[in-house]
Amino acid sequence: MKKIFLIAIAFATFTSCKKSLTEEPKSFLSPDQFFKSDPDAIQGVNGVYFWLVGTYPNRLFQQELWQTLDENCDVIRVPHPGPLNITAGSPGNAPVMYSAFYKGIYAANLVIDKVSKSPAISAATKTRVLGEAKFLRSLFYYYLTGLFGDAVLYTESNYAGIDQSKTFPRSPVADIRKQMIADLTEAAAGLPATYTSSDNGRASSGAALALLTKVYLWTKDYQKAEETAMKIKTSGTYILLPDYASVFSADNEFNRESIFEIDFQTDLLNSYQHAFYSPNNTVGAAPFVSKPWYRSYVPYHSFANSFNPKDKRKASLIATGYNGASFRPDITNKVDVWFGPKWWRLDAGERNSGLDIYLLRYADVLLMLAEAANENGHTAVAEAALNEVRKRAGLDDATGLSQEQFRNEIYQERAWELVGEGHRRLDLIRWGKYPQAAVTASATEEPELSASYKPYYVLLPIPATEVAKNPALGQNTGY
C-alpha cells in the first residue's frame, strides 16, 4: 500500500538515497526547478510529513515529543527518576524538539510558497496540498507554542531569508494562534473528508477541524470550539468504535475513530513506544520474560486506582498479569502495576514495531465538545457528548453536575480515555494545572521528583544554543 510512502516518498525528491528512512532529506534539486507538476507538489508535501517523525538528532514522534507530552504529569511514572533540574544549558529533550519543529515549519512554508505560485499545478491538487501544508504548519506550531510559549513566526512570506531570520524575535503566542486559526480554517475548507487507503495518514478536513478546536480551547473561545467540534460530530465521518480495545488493535489501524495518526511500519519506519510502556522480563511471565523492553513507564497508583470498577477501558490500560499468570512485583522500584495492552505489540522487537501513534481521534473531539459546551452553559450538549464516551466505557451517564463538577469530570475523563496519546501535559498547561498536578501525583511515590518541580516548568527553556545564535529570542521566565 502506498501509505508506507507517506513520509518516505519525500526521499525520491529530496535525496538520492531513495529507500532510506533514517536520513534527513537533503536537497539535490533547487526548489525553483521543482514544483512543476502535481506529482512534484504531492512529493513536496510528503517531505513536510517526514518531520512529524524526523530523524536523529531531530526526532519528534519517534521518541522525544511523545515522551515530553506525557512524562512528568499526573498519570505516568518513571520509577526513581530523581529530581528534575531543567535549565537552558541542560534542557533535556528541548533542543531536539525545538530544532525539529522549525525544520517542519520551514518545509511547510517552502511548499506553501512554491505550490501557491506554480501555474503548472492543477487547481485541485494545489488546494489539497496547500491545505495539508497549512495543517502541518499549524500542528508544528501547536506543539511548539504549547511547550515553549512565544515563538518566531515564520510564514511563506519570511521563511527564506536565513541570515535575517537569525535576528527575528519571538512573536506572542496570541499572534501565532491567529495564524493557526486562519490556516486551519482554510485547510478545513479545502481538504477532503476522507482518502482512499493508499493515502491513509494524510490530513483531512476533520483533522483540520479537530486541531482548530484545540486552538480555540487554548484561546478560551468556547463558542467557536463548540461550533467547530460539532461540525465534526454532525459530519458523520467518524464514530466511536463499540469496543475501546479495538481502537488500538494492530489490524485495525486507520479505523473510523481515527482522525489523524502516524503510520509506523515494522522494518520500514519503526516505532518503539511499546517498549517504554510494556512490562519487561523482570515480571517473570511469558512472553515478557524473553523481551528486552525498557519498562520505562508505569502508572501512578493514584491513576491505576482511580477507575470505576465498571470501566471497560481499564483492562486495556492497566495490567497486573497476562494470560492467567500474575506479574512479579519489582520491589526495588516499587512497581506492582503496569501499563496494559493498548500499547503492547507482543510480536515486535525492542525498537521495531508498527505501533501507530494517534494524534487526533473522535473520542478526543467528543470530550472537547463536552468541555466547550459546559463552559458555554449548554448543559444538554455537554452531557450528551461526555456520556457518549462514558457509555462506550461501560459507565453510567454523568448527570446533574454543576459546571465546576463537570470540569473536574472532564479532567478525569481525558486521563482515562486518552492516556499515553500525547494530550496530558498540554491539557494540564491549558487548564492552569501544570506543574501542580504533577507535584501532587508524585508526592508519595517519587518525593524527590515532586519536590523538584518549579512553577516556571510550565514552559520548557529555549535551548541556550539557540539563544546564543539569536539573542533576540530571549528566554522563558525562570531559566
Side-chain angles (χ1 to χ4, degrees):
M1 295 173 65
K2 290 183 181 178
K3 66 179 184 177
I4 66 172
F5 296 109
L6 178 59
I7 299 171
I9 200 172
F11 296 101
T13 301
F14 292 110
T15 180
S16 58
C17 185
K18 296 184 181 181
K19 296 300 183 181
S20 174
L21 292 171
T22 60
E23 295 180 19
E24 177 181 340
K26 299 179 178 66
S27 177
F28 70 94
L29 279 178
S30 163
D32 292 328
Q33 296 174 288
F34 198 63
F35 297 107
K36 300 294 187 183
S37 66
D38 285 14
D40 285 358
I42 293 168
Q43 291 184 29
V45 80
N46 287 345
V48 188
Y49 284 97
F50 168 84
W51 287 109
L52 290 177
V53 176
T55 185
Y56 184 83
N58 297 123
R59 297 178 301 196
L60 287 177
F61 277 106
Q62 191 167 61
Q63 181 173 346
E64 278 77 7
L65 181 54
W66 60 254
Q67 283 186 292
T68 302
L69 292 173
D70 277 309
E71 272 186 5
N72 297 324
C73 293
D74 59 346
V75 172
I76 293 170
R77 178 166 78 95
V78 180
H80 295 317
L84 287 177
N85 184 25
I86 303 173
T87 68
S90 181
N93 289 338
V96 171
M97 297 184 296
Y98 192 89
S99 174
F101 288 142
Y102 280 114
K103 287 178 184 293
I105 290 164
Y106 178 90
N109 282 325
L110 175 67
V111 170
I112 295 166
D113 179 24
K114 300 304 180 184
V115 169
S116 63
K117 295 175 181 176
S118 174
I121 298 171
S122 70
T125 296
K126 185 174 291 190
T127 297
R128 197 197 86 184
V129 166
L130 290 176
E132 289 180 85
K134 291 189 176 184
F135 166 81
L136 291 167
R137 180 169 70 183
S138 296
L139 188 61
F140 289 120
Y141 269 120
Y142 172 73
Y143 294 118
L144 176 62
T145 55
L147 295 173
F148 292 93
D150 297 347
V152 179
L153 178 57
Y154 292 108
T155 68
E156 64 273 23
S157 65
N158 71 343
Y159 76 101
I162 295 175
D163 291 336
Q164 182 183 4
S165 70
K166 290 179 181 178
T167 66
F168 287 170
R170 292 189 285 164
S171 295
V173 167
D175 291 347
I176 296 172
R177 290 186 178 138
K178 288 178 183 177
Q179 181 67 52
M180 293 165 67
I181 289 169
D183 282 351
L184 292 167
T185 301
E186 181 181 332
L191 288 170
T194 60
Y195 292 90
T196 61
S197 60
S198 62
D199 279 317
N200 276 343
R202 293 192 182 279
S204 64
S205 58
L209 290 171
L211 185 56
L212 181 58
T213 303
K214 289 187 178 294
V215 178
Y216 282 136
L217 287 177
W218 274 92
T219 63
K220 301 187 184 304
D221 190 338
Y222 297 114
Q223 187 62 43
K224 288 286 183 64
E226 182 179 350
E227 292 171 0
T228 306
M230 187 61 76
K231 286 181 182 178
I232 301 172
K233 179 175 173 58
T234 58
S235 72
T237 303
Y238 306 101
I239 62 170
L240 285 186
L241 299 191
D243 175 48
Y244 180 82
S246 68
V247 176
F248 309 98
S249 173
D251 59 2
N252 200 26
E253 296 171 351
F254 297 104
N255 56 67
R256 285 194 63 193
E257 187 166 336
S258 172
I259 298 177
F260 188 70
E261 70 186 85
I262 297 179
D263 183 26
F264 286 96
Q265 298 274 319
T266 304
D267 298 327
L268 290 171
L269 187 68
N270 57 305
S271 167
Y272 41 93
Q273 188 185 41
H274 72 289
F276 282 71
Y277 286 90
S278 299
N280 66 0
N281 52 22
T282 63
V283 300
F288 304 96
V289 70
S290 63
K291 300 292 185 182
W293 291 336
Y294 312 132
R295 202 287 321 269
S296 299
Y297 295 152
V298 295
Y300 278 110
H301 282 95
S302 57
F303 175 70
N305 295 333
S306 68
F307 287 86
N308 186 304
K310 297 179 180 179
D311 199 326
K312 297 176 182 178
R313 292 170 296 196
K314 186 175 182 179
S316 294
L317 301 175
I318 303 297
T320 56
Y322 178 68
N323 202 24
S326 296
F327 291 154
R328 182 171 57 223
D330 177 351
I331 304 301
T332 302
N333 291 297
K334 300 178 181 179
V335 177
D336 58 9
V337 64
W338 295 259
F339 280 117
K342 174 177 176 176
W343 298 273
W344 294 356
R345 289 296 182 268
L346 300 183
D347 60 344
E350 183 179 34
R351 298 173 70 88
N352 189 20
S353 90
L355 176 65
D356 282 12
I357 293 181
Y358 293 82
L359 272 61
L360 301 165
R361 61 181 177 92
Y362 185 53
D364 180 14
V365 171
L366 288 174
L367 293 175
M368 290 193 292
L369 173 59
E371 180 179 350
N374 180 59
E375 296 300 327
N376 292 327
H378 299 159
T379 304
V381 174
E383 288 184 350
L386 171 63
N387 288 331
E388 192 172 342
V389 177
R390 288 176 60 84
K391 182 178 180 180
R392 198 254 303 267
L395 301 176
D396 298 333
D397 284 353
T399 58
L401 301 178
S402 69
Q403 189 178 55
E404 183 59 28
Q405 288 172 329
F406 199 96
R407 289 184 186 124
N408 290 332
E409 185 63 29
I410 290 292
Y411 171 83
Q412 293 289 346
E413 197 67 48
R414 287 187 66 83
W416 295 322
E417 178 68 29
L418 301 169
V419 53
E421 295 180 46
H423 300 285
R424 196 59 178 173
R425 184 183 184 113
L426 296 188
D427 279 346
L428 293 174
I429 293 172
R430 178 169 61 81
W431 294 327
K433 293 179 178 293
Y434 192 82
Q436 186 54 49
V439 172
T440 301
S442 58
T444 299
E445 294 176 82
E446 301 294 348
E448 282 188 303
L449 173 66
S450 180
S452 71
Y453 283 103
K454 306 291 193 299
Y456 57 83
Y457 283 2
V458 67
L459 292 177
L460 297 174
I462 307 301
T465 52
E466 300 294 335
V467 177
K469 289 186 288 187
N470 179 8
L473 293 173
Q475 185 54 269
N476 286 330
T477 300
Y479 298 106

